[in-house]
Amino acid sequence: MATTDMPRVLDCSVESCSYNKTKSCGAAAITVGYAQTCTTFIPLSIKGGLDTVTSVVGACQKADCVHNSALECTAESIRVGAMTADCLSFELR
């Protein structure tokens, strides 16, 4: 899977994340963990990440999601939100 084929992170409503740039993600790539949460989430007051980036899902550990194939996300795009940085695009297989 080429980087351009990787699922985009459309938006992120987790304002307490250091990578959050006005409801968009400033990380080049994120990982969705076993608990359906964005494990790239960092709750620091210091803002990080890139100013201009189209964030993508680099890996997904949520093997019971319909979008997961060989630990890669096959969704066209995802949304991240809630207080715990959940992948809101998760669908149980």
Side-chain angles (χ1 to χ4, degrees):
M1 178 183 296
T3 304
T4 56
D5 297 334
M6 296 170 79
R8 291 185 46 224
V9 179
L10 288 183
D11 58 54
C12 177
S13 61
V14 185
E15 295 178 11
S16 61
C17 182
S18 294
Y19 288 110
N20 192 304
K21 308 263 188 199
T22 317
K23 295 197 177 189
S24 66
C25 185
I30 70 161
T31 296
V32 176
Y34 296 113
Q36 182 185 324
T37 58
C38 174
T39 61
T40 311
F41 168 75
I42 299 175
L44 299 176
S45 59
I46 300 168
K47 289 295 182 183
L50 305 169
D51 289 331
T52 306
V53 66
T54 300
S55 299
V56 295
V57 180
C60 180
Q61 300 170 354
K62 196 68 178 147
D64 60 348
C65 179
V66 298
H67 302 295
N68 190 311
S69 176
L71 301 179
E72 298 290 332
C73 183
T74 62
E76 185 174 317
S77 60
I78 70 159
R79 295 180 184 279
V80 177
M83 296 301 290
T84 56
D86 290 340
C87 176
L88 301 178
S89 302
F90 169 80
E91 291 180 46
L92 187 61
R93 187 180 313 256

